[in-house]
Every structure is written in C-alpha cells, then in structure tokens.
Amino acid sequence: MRVAFVGKGGSGKTTLSSLFARYAAHIGTVVAIDADINQHLGLVLGAATTPRPLGGMIGEIKEYLRGDNPRIRDTASMVKTTPPGQGSRLIRLDDPFFPSVRVEGVALMVTGPFEEEDLGVACYHSKVGAVELYLNHVVDDQGEYVVADMTAGADSFASGLFTRFDVTFLVAEPTRQGVSVYRQYRDHAADFGVALAVVGNKVQDQRDVDFLREHVGDDLLTWFGHSPAVRALEQGRPFTLDDLSGDDHDALAMLLKRVDAQPKDWRRFGAQAAEFHLRNARAWADRATGEDLSTQIDPEFVYGPAATNPA
C-alpha cells in the first residue's frame, strides 16, 4: 500500500505520518518519503542523518528506471510522468539504488530542500518528480507500505502524484481553515477515484469532533488529541510509541486497518499513469523534448507483481 498524508500547513501531517510509519513498521516493511518542501520528516522520526536527496538524482533515477525500454530513447526524453513499459526496471521497496537511512524500523528517503541555486528559477515539483518516478516503477507487495509526507494544501494536484497512492489521509484541525483544505482536496480528487479519509488532529473535546463531523461527514475516520507524548516527540525529547495514550494507539490502529482494507487496483493505477503522462505531454513535455511522448505508453504492459522485469 502507498499512503499519503496531506493537509494544511501546520496541521500536524508530518507528525502523524511519522507516527503511522513507526506503527506500520511493527507490522511490515515501511519506506517513508519526505516529499514536503519543509523537509521535517527525518527530524520528527529522530534521524541523526539524512540520505542523499532524490531531487538531486533525477538524471540517475531516469537512467536506472529506463532499463532497456525501447520506447524511451534516452533520459532526455524521459519526464517525471513517463510510465514503465516492457524493458523498464521495476523495483522493490528495498532497492539499494535509492538512498535511505534506517530509523525507528523505517527506511527514510527524502526529496531534499530547496537549494540556493533553485531560488527564483525552479519549482518544488522538479524535486518531487523523483517521487513520482519511484512510485510509477515500484512494485509493492503484501505487508509493504510506502508512507509519504506531502506538500501542504492542494499543491499535490500540480502533478499526477496525487493518484499514485492507494489511500490519502487528510489531516484536519477542527477549524474553518482546516476543513476548507479538505473541501478543496475532496473536490479536486472527486473525478479520480482517490480514496480519501480525514484524520482530525489537535482535537480538544467533543465539540471539536462534532465540528469535524459537521463539515466532513463520513470521511472523518479518526482523530488525535493534544498529547504530551507527541509534544515531547516534537520537542526532540525521548519518545517511543509506548508513550502514547490508549486513544492514540487506537487511532493509529484505525489508520492501519483502513489502509489494509483498501483493495489494490493496479488497473486504475496504470490507466491514470497513462492519462497524466498524456496530459503532461500535450501541455509541455512534447514541446520540451521535441518528441511525441505518447509513444512511450506501452499498451501491453501489465502493472503489478505480474509484470516482467527483463532489465
């Protein structure tokens, strides 16, 4: 399963994604990806170091994933939405090519922050394109989880990255600003079959729960309160999952149960990969590469564990 945590800036999505990654690591194999421009996931997980950023490896990643796919002439003609085909290199979660560090039983990967040379000349999507390529080519199996801390608000919709996940958790505070981001995300995602669930955060009492239910309805899955243990985590003091309250443990269990109950739909995944590749090709990529990138779509390629991997 691939899981995204989204929400308004400051809603706590980084903290909750780190808690979920730790929790899921007791059940299966977890890769956590910091795809937020603020790059705080490693800090919250307690990583002493961070791995080489994926955002600075775009050319290498393209060359590695291209494999022997005859539909992709070279890395210059491969863009962030280029889907795999016969001959592409499909990868598993533990592929050593992608730099990571181990922390709390989780393999942490990062897109990297904005560098000085990026200021005024690049957008952050140039870095998260590495995540889109990774997700398009990874074959996850039972008991494997990719957990991504995404950019704030509805910025994920600037690419097809929002369709690369099996479940999206929108973290919402019980405020008008928090639920407005939910409505925006829900409306953008409505036509794409995105499995969206709301996770309340910083909930103080029943009135906060009632507020969230009033504004998000049945999409409200569970919620977290103001936790001294979580505050200790955010302040860098010693923390383990055992420090959480019973209610917080129940909320994490609810998140994992929701993820595990989600059917894996490789067919939809492949169809949307092709759809967004065509959208990008027509909008800018054909012009940028000087090629008809629609020919990169392999109609005979089968997504998922059944795919062959000759590379």
Side-chain angles (χ1 to χ4, degrees), residues 7-68:
K8 182 179 73 66
S11 63
K13 62 182 181 58
T14 299
T15 297
L16 294 192
S17 61
S18 74
L19 290 176
F20 179 77
R22 292 175 190 234
Y23 188 81
H26 288 280
I27 308 299
T29 302
V30 177
V31 168
I33 304 177
D34 194 341
D36 187 359
I37 191 171
N38 293 314
Q39 295 288 282
H40 289 156
L41 184 58
L43 181 68
V44 178
L45 278 170
T49 61
T50 55
R52 182 184 177 191
L54 301 179
M57 297 175 57
I58 292 290
E60 297 166 67
I61 290 172
K62 289 178 179 179
E63 183 62 36
Y64 185 70
L65 297 179
R66 183 169 71 97
D68 297 323

Side-chain angles (χ1 to χ4, degrees), residues 119-247:
L119 299 178
V121 297
C123 70
Y124 197 63
H125 305 118
S126 62
K127 296 185 182 296
V128 296
V131 179
E132 192 162 357
L133 285 166
Y134 173 81
L135 292 176
N136 269 347
H137 290 77
V138 72
V139 180
D140 46 328
D141 209 341
Q142 193 74 23
E144 296 180 334
Y145 305 90
V146 178
V147 181
D149 179 23
M150 300 296 293
T151 52
D155 200 43
S156 300
F157 290 98
S159 74
L161 188 56
F162 74 97
T163 66
R164 304 296 81 194
F165 299 97
D166 299 294
V167 177
T168 296
F169 290 132
L170 189 142
V171 181
E173 299 172 81
T175 64
R176 288 181 295 176
Q177 302 96 307
V179 297
S180 69
V181 172
Y182 156 75
R183 285 192 291 267
Q184 187 180 30
Y185 210 101
R186 176 201 62 194
D187 293 346
H188 286 328
D191 294 333
F192 299 98
V194 173
L196 181 65
V198 174
V199 182
N201 196 29
K202 305 176 187 178
V203 170
Q204 295 185 357
D205 51 34
Q206 187 60 43
R207 288 178 299 179
D208 285 347
V209 176
D210 294 341
F211 178 87
L212 288 170
R213 287 202 187 282
E214 177 185 355
H215 289 277
V216 310
D218 291 340
D219 282 346
L220 180 62
L221 177 65
T222 188
W223 55 87
F224 292 79
H226 282 272
S227 165
V230 171
R231 178 62 69 195
L233 164 68
E234 294 173 332
Q235 292 176 344
R237 290 184 276 145
F239 169 86
T240 71
L241 288 178
D242 290 338
D243 297 326
L244 293 174
S245 69
D247 288 342

Side-chain angles (χ1 to χ4, degrees), residues 69 71-72 77-79 81-84 273-287 289-300:
N69 187 336
R71 293 176 175 271
I72 306 173
S77 63
M78 189 173 182
V79 296
T81 58
T82 297
E275 176 184 354
F276 279 92
H277 184 56
L278 289 174
R279 287 187 180 207
N280 280 265
R282 293 163 184 160
W284 64 272
D286 281 356
R287 183 172 63 256
T289 61
E291 296 187 33
D292 177 7
L293 297 188
S294 66
T295 61
Q296 292 180 339
I297 298 173
D298 185 347
E300 297 181 0

